[in-house]
Amino acid sequence: MIELSEQQLKQLQKIELEMLVEVDRICKKNNIKYTIIGGTLLGAVRHGGFIPWDDDADVAMLRTEFEKFCEIIEKDLDHNRFYFQSMDTVKGYRWGYAKLRRKNTLFVRESQEHMPYAQGIFLDIFPIDGTPNNKFLRTVHDFRCFCVRKTLWSEVGKNVERNRLNRIIYKILSMIPENKVKKAYKGLILKHDSDASEVVRTLTFPAPKELRGYYRKWFAETAPIEFEGITFEGVKDYDGWLSYEFGDYMKLPPKEKQKTHPVSDIKLIDV
């Protein structure tokens, strides 16, 4: 595992900021609503920018907005600097969300060295999907999401899982043809627009148990927020979302949890 130096981490964050600016540019040009999310939103509120030890950046869009983004990305993307990956565009890509990556860089997560696609420094772009309003049906939907998530992860899990039985299960799941797994993922996307759902989520990420998702308004209602001196779009009710996601979000985690992701290979460039 490579332990990033403080200088490397700052350089990595500059590249991720460059990609945030590109997503913001494309979205504003095409009237697409997005929000920074996760640790990026937390960093904006608590630190005014990146969490000092954070090594990634995240944005999210409701499904209809995400589909618009995917339709125009190839036309409007600065291909001299970036490339785009999603389930629909890259064979072997097994994540239920998209990535914008920086050309001429590397950021290979530990145990993902064998994955059959380019692995440059990235920005995650999460589609936010509706869930059934009926609580029982939402629970069933959540279980289906769990099964698809584990099957998608199996290509990595079969190599990294320490429990022997679970490793065998992952090996079996990894034998399911890629096209069938992706079809199962798309079957989780509700036919109606996510605007009709009270609760929404990223389908291939674990959902909070309280709601098995998040209130739709947190992604539908955005407002400008400053991040590293640049204005992006953030959750309007950021206090509600951050409290739900992180609890006492202004309190720093203990030192032992202030860590970057395990990386096996990295190549940085000046931007």
Side-chain angles (χ1 to χ4, degrees):
M1 184 183 82
I2 296 173
E3 188 170 336
L4 300 183
S5 67
E6 184 177 343
Q7 181 180 355
Q8 285 177 312
L9 183 55
K10 286 182 178 179
Q11 195 173 351
L12 173 66
Q13 290 173 347
K14 283 183 181 179
I15 296 169
E16 290 166 349
L17 182 62
E18 181 191 33
M19 289 188 284
L20 277 171
V21 169
E22 178 70 355
V23 168
D24 178 74
R25 179 188 70 82
I26 292 171
C27 287
K28 285 178 177 171
K29 177 182 176 182
N30 294 280
N31 197 29
I32 294 171
K33 183 177 285 189
Y34 79 95
T35 176
I36 58 172
I37 204 67
T40 309
L41 180 62
L42 174 58
V45 174
R46 193 171 69 192
H47 304 274
F50 282 102
I51 296 171
W53 57 90
D54 204 2
D55 60 3
D56 61 9
D58 304 311
V59 302
M61 305 170 189
L62 288 169
R63 171 61 66 175
T64 49
E65 303 298 301
F66 179 79
E67 296 295 347
K68 283 188 217 171
F69 185 84
C70 291
E71 283 177 12
I72 58 87
I73 186 69
E74 284 305 312
K75 177 174 69 74
D76 283 347
L77 184 65
D78 180 354
H79 293 280
N80 290 323
R81 293 185 292 160
F82 310 108
Y83 58 102
F84 179 74
Q85 295 177 330
S86 71
M87 272 191 183
D88 293 329
T89 61
V90 179
K91 183 174 175 57
Y93 185 90
R94 298 175 68 89
W95 316 119
Y97 47 93
K99 290 181 185 286
L100 183 66
R101 293 192 189 262
R102 186 54 161 93
K103 285 187 172 180
N104 303 314
T105 68
L106 273 178
F107 191 78
V108 182
R109 289 276 175 85
E110 196 172 43
S111 304
Q112 295 187 25
E113 299 86 352
H114 66 291
M115 299 303 279
Y117 48 79
Q119 297 193 55
I121 292 170
F122 62 88
L123 165 75
D124 284 327
I125 305 171
F126 294 98
I128 304 298
D129 283 289
T131 66
N133 287 327
N134 178 280
K135 288 185 178 180
F136 172 75
L137 294 179
R138 193 185 308 153
T139 301
V140 173
H141 185 259
D142 182 57
F143 178 71
R144 291 175 60 208
C145 289
F146 168 83
C147 294
V148 171
R149 182 174 78 250
K150 292 299 183 182
T151 306
L152 288 167
W153 172 252
S154 64
E155 196 61 34
V156 177
K158 68 181 182 181
N159 296 324
V160 301
E161 176 59 53
R162 294 182 180 181
N163 181 282
R164 188 168 176 236
L165 177 59
N166 288 341
R167 193 163 62 248
I168 291 171
I169 292 172
Y170 278 132
K171 284 182 179 178
I172 294 170
L173 290 175
S174 71
M175 296 176 187
I176 299 174
E178 180 183 333
N179 64 325
K180 292 189 179 299
V181 184
K182 291 182 176 181
K183 184 177 180 181
Y185 165 73
K186 291 185 177 182
L188 297 172
I189 300 170
L190 299 188
K191 300 299 182 185
H192 60 75
D193 188 277
S194 54
D195 287 352
S197 300
E198 298 170 3
V199 176
V200 298
R201 62 176 291 183
T202 299
L203 299 178
T204 54
F205 260 47
K209 294 298 181 185
E210 184 180 338
L211 286 174
R212 299 189 188 277
Y214 302 88
Y215 291 119
R216 187 188 65 82
K217 68 174 185 176
W218 285 332
F219 300 92
E221 299 171 9
T222 65
I225 191 168
E226 192 169 294
F227 182 90
E228 296 292 339
I230 301 172
T231 300
F232 297 104
E233 289 298 307
V235 176
K236 185 176 181 180
D237 179 21
Y238 64 79
D239 180 66
W241 188 87
L242 290 171
S243 297
Y244 179 76
E245 183 75 352
F246 299 109
D248 184 6
Y249 60 86
M250 294 302 289
K251 182 179 179 181
L252 292 177
K255 202 73 176 175
E256 61 270 16
K257 290 191 176 180
Q258 299 179 16
K259 295 181 178 180
T260 57
H261 292 92
V263 178
S264 63
D265 198 3
I266 186 167
K267 176 187 174 186
L268 300 165
I269 57 173
D270 292 322
V271 296

